[in-house]
Amino acid sequence: MTMKPSLQLRVGAHLTMTPQLQQAIHLLQLSTLDLRQEIQQALDSNPMLEQEDLFDECASPADNDDDWQESIPDELSQDSSWEDSFQDASLGSLSSSVAPAGESDIERNTSEDTLQQHVEWQVMMLDLDDQQRAIAERLIDALDPNGLIAQPLEDITEGLRAQGFESLSVADVERTAIMLQQCEPAGLFARDLRECLLLQLDQLPQDTPLLAQARRLIRQFLEALGNGDTKLLKRRLGIDDESLERITCLIKALDPHPGRQFDSTSHQYVIPDLILRHSTRHGWQVELNEDALPRLRLNPDYSSLVRRADKSDDNTFFKQHLQEARWFIKSIASRNDTLLRVGREIMARQHRYIDMGEEGLKPLTLSDIAGAVDMHESTISRVTTQKFIHTPRGVVELKLFFSSQVGGSGEGDAHSGAAIRARIRKYVSEEPTRRPLSDARLVELLDDQGIKVARRTVAKYREALGIPSSSERRKMA
């Protein structure tokens, strides 16, 4: 058999992802915060776009350009920063490490201190010599997010010796660490959990009831307390049940992670895309959150400069940006329309959530909504991810309303997994402290409500909720 090149003609059809379609899909899956950034970038780069001063309805200028023949597919019905305008006036700082280079004074004044910055400010108030200050800086660097020293003192000593402190000893580092343990909050610069808790007990008044017994428990029997061995604790400490409970409450009031309150993780704020409102005439209605996004329109001054037959570079530039601006505005309008249609269909099917919460959720899948609004499941997935709705029960993600069916063969006897998990959480929160509910008992309680599920299903949902077993909950009581 010989091989030789040849030409063949084939006829076929395939979907082409145009740049406009890609943009529409991209905007559809963005959260509100991300979309705000995308809009700001478009405003900065496209002179044809401008932001309306008010959030009222304002139609874009009418345009009859014959070159505009494209439309978004039906399936996707879907500023400058402070330092640019104001010079950063240097006010100075306590130390270069407290005020990072490149950070404006306003940002420094409004941002929360990290654990290291909080401790550095306090260490500056201590009377330390050069060697102790070098040790303090090294100990601050060794703090973990919990506020404990994460490295052995021997390793810290060896590192400082390599930096020129040849005569330094471990005892010198330990003495400096003890001085730094005066810093607030109490418990910082401890080497383990036991020392951290003891440091916090030392801050309590000496006449605190059972303080000595609490110190001894932490020093000698902390593992037994964690295992719930109450008999051993009462026998070794020579106390009764009431005293042991008071000591346990005293220890539980301590903070095992004193450094966590300075967690530098930025806060994520949720802006609802939809709002569920009630009116006496129409009942519950889903509306777009008009304040979530800025309103855009075409700049009438620049738009009037576009001349249809002109082929000059300037006119081509304006015409190209005018087309991009139209697509961007239409893509956002399409996104909002798709989001509103999907949100209304979801709440029409999950209206019981308003009165009952998660317990009232019915089984619902992406295909159910896709069929009702005549869209593809992938579009429903994009439009419900990181999209939120404001309800009388708070701001929740649209994904919350989707849940698989558990038990039953029809709509009347079927229940959603989310509703079952909500009931399990409710039963456990209301259980007697000394007699926690077993998985078998939870199955019986669900059966009384007409929900028939297997014990292994209840165990799986309980573990997913982070609820320990009944035996573990009994030990923790």
Side-chain angles (χ1 to χ4, degrees):
M1 179 179 179
T2 60
M3 299 180 61
K4 60 180 180 179
S6 62
L7 295 177
Q8 295 181 348
L9 180 62
R10 294 182 179 179
V11 179
H14 62 279
L15 177 64
T16 301
M17 293 287 288
T18 64
Q20 293 80 10
L21 181 59
Q22 293 176 7
Q23 181 190 58
I25 295 176
H26 173 67
L27 297 181
L28 187 65
Q29 61 191 5
L30 291 180
S31 65
T32 300
L33 291 178
D34 292 336
L35 184 56
R36 279 186 168 187
Q37 296 179 2
E38 195 84 10
I39 292 175
Q40 187 60 53
Q41 292 177 6
L43 287 170
D44 294 339
S45 61
N46 195 330
M48 291 295 178
L49 279 176
E50 70 175 12
Q51 180 177 342
E52 296 180 9
D53 296 332
L54 301 175
F55 287 98
D56 55 351
E57 294 292 339
C58 181
S60 300
D63 182 64
N64 298 321
D65 194 346
D66 296 336
D67 293 339
W68 181 253
Q69 299 294 340
E70 300 173 287
S71 61
I72 298 177
D74 294 337
E75 184 182 347
L76 292 176
S77 302
Q78 55 129 31
D79 161 48
S80 65
S81 59
W82 178 275
E83 55 269 20
D84 292 336
S85 303
F86 299 95
Q87 182 117 12
D88 181 25
S90 177
L91 301 178
S93 59
L94 293 175
S95 68
S96 59
S97 57
V98 176
E103 185 181 13
S104 68
D105 295 315
I106 290 180
E107 291 171 338
R108 288 193 293 270
N109 293 334
T110 57
S111 61
E112 297 181 358
D113 287 343
T114 64
L115 173 60
Q116 280 72 20
Q117 292 172 343
H118 177 76
V119 173
E120 285 171 351
W121 179 83
Q122 297 183 68
V123 171
M124 291 178 62
M125 306 297 128
L126 299 178
D127 186 14
L128 304 177
D129 56 32
D130 293 340
Q131 177 174 290
Q132 290 173 329
R133 195 164 297 279
I135 298 173
E137 292 177 357
R138 187 64 186 86
L139 290 172
I140 292 173
D141 292 338
L143 287 177
D144 64 9
N146 296 324
L148 307 183
I149 300 177
Q151 289 181 275
L153 297 185
E154 292 78 7
D155 295 348
I156 296 177
T157 304
E158 291 296 330
L160 289 170
R161 286 174 181 169
Q163 296 178 11
F165 299 94
E166 292 84 359
S167 61
L168 188 68
S169 65
V170 178
D172 295 330
V173 177
E174 187 173 2
R175 281 192 292 269
T176 304
I178 293 175
M179 295 178 62
L180 298 184
Q181 288 173 354
Q182 306 172 26
C183 295
E184 295 293 335
L188 297 179
F189 293 98
R191 283 160 286 187
D192 52 32
L193 175 61
R194 181 177 280 103
E195 185 178 13
C196 176
L197 297 178
L198 289 173
L199 288 173
Q200 296 180 55
L201 286 181
D202 291 340
Q203 300 293 323
L204 299 178
Q206 293 302 313
D207 57 351
T208 301
L210 301 172
L211 182 59
Q213 291 87 339
R215 285 199 181 101
R216 184 185 175 195
L217 189 155
I218 293 176
R219 190 178 296 112
Q220 301 179 9
F221 310 110
L222 190 59
E223 291 78 8
L225 178 63
N227 295 329
D229 194 346
T230 57
K231 293 183 179 180
L232 174 64
L233 294 175
K234 289 188 294 184
R235 184 174 68 254
R236 294 294 182 90
L237 297 176
I239 55 179
D240 53 15
D241 290 334
E242 182 181 356
S243 298
L244 179 59
E245 186 173 355
R246 293 172 63 186
I247 293 175
T248 303
C249 292
L250 178 62
I251 295 176
K252 286 183 177 181
L254 305 178
D255 187 1
H257 312 293
R260 289 284 179 89
Q261 58 184 283
F262 299 95
D263 189 356
S264 59
T265 303
S266 59
H267 300 284
Q268 297 294 330
Y269 298 95
V270 174
I271 300 177
D273 303 86
L274 301 172
I275 299 178
L276 185 64
R277 288 194 174 99
H278 184 269
S279 64
T280 55
R281 183 176 181 181
H282 302 288
W284 291 103
Q285 297 289 325
V286 177
E287 303 174 359
L288 282 173
N289 182 7
E290 300 292 344
D291 298 333
L293 298 173
R295 294 292 187 89
L296 301 178
R297 66 181 179 187
L298 298 178
N299 187 306
D301 297 328
Y302 285 123
S303 299
S304 63
L305 297 178
V306 178
R307 293 178 292 274
R308 184 172 305 172
D310 193 344
K311 301 297 183 181
S312 64
D313 294 340
D314 291 340
N315 193 69
T316 302
F317 172 83
F318 283 124
K319 186 178 295 185
Q320 179 182 355
H321 282 77
L322 178 60
Q323 183 175 354
E324 292 176 359
R326 287 169 175 154
W327 262 106
F328 193 78
I329 294 175
K330 286 199 172 189
S331 296
I332 293 179
S334 176
R335 173 190 183 273
N336 292 339
D337 179 69
T338 303
L339 181 61
L340 186 58
R341 291 173 58 194
V342 172
R344 286 174 174 172
E345 184 64 29
I346 290 176
M347 295 312 301
R349 294 170 177 257
Q350 300 287 19
H351 57 89
R352 294 196 302 175
Y353 172 81
I354 302 172
D355 299 324
M356 303 174 59
E358 293 187 32
E359 296 182 25
L361 291 179
K362 299 167 57 179
L364 185 65
T365 62
L366 294 176
S367 60
D368 296 335
I369 301 298
V373 298
D374 193 23
M375 296 180 183
H376 195 272
E377 291 183 29
S378 61
T379 304
I380 305 302
S381 178
R382 292 188 186 100
V383 83
T384 55
T385 301
Q386 294 186 332
K387 309 300 188 304
F388 298 84
I389 181 172
H390 186 278
T391 72
R393 294 186 172 271
V395 178
V396 296
E397 189 178 9
L398 291 178
K399 286 287 188 184
L400 170 72
F401 300 103
F402 294 93
S403 182
S404 58
Q405 176 176 317
V406 178
S409 56
E411 184 176 351
D413 57 352
H415 301 272
S416 69
I420 297 176
R421 288 192 294 269
R423 289 182 182 272
I424 293 175
R425 187 191 301 114
K426 177 183 177 181
Y427 292 149
V428 172
S429 65
E430 297 175 351
E431 68 183 4
T433 305
R434 300 293 181 180
R435 298 179 59 186
L437 300 173
S438 63
D439 292 342
R441 179 55 181 158
L442 290 174
V443 171
E444 295 176 359
L445 293 175
L446 291 172
D447 185 67
D448 294 340
Q449 300 295 323
I451 306 174
K452 299 185 181 297
V453 293
R455 190 183 66 83
R456 62 179 179 272
T457 304
V458 171
K460 180 182 69 174
Y461 285 164
R462 175 181 53 75
E463 293 173 357
L465 292 171
I467 300 175
S469 63
S470 58
S471 58
E472 294 175 347
R473 300 202 302 275
R474 185 178 296 108
K475 291 180 181 180
M476 295 167 58

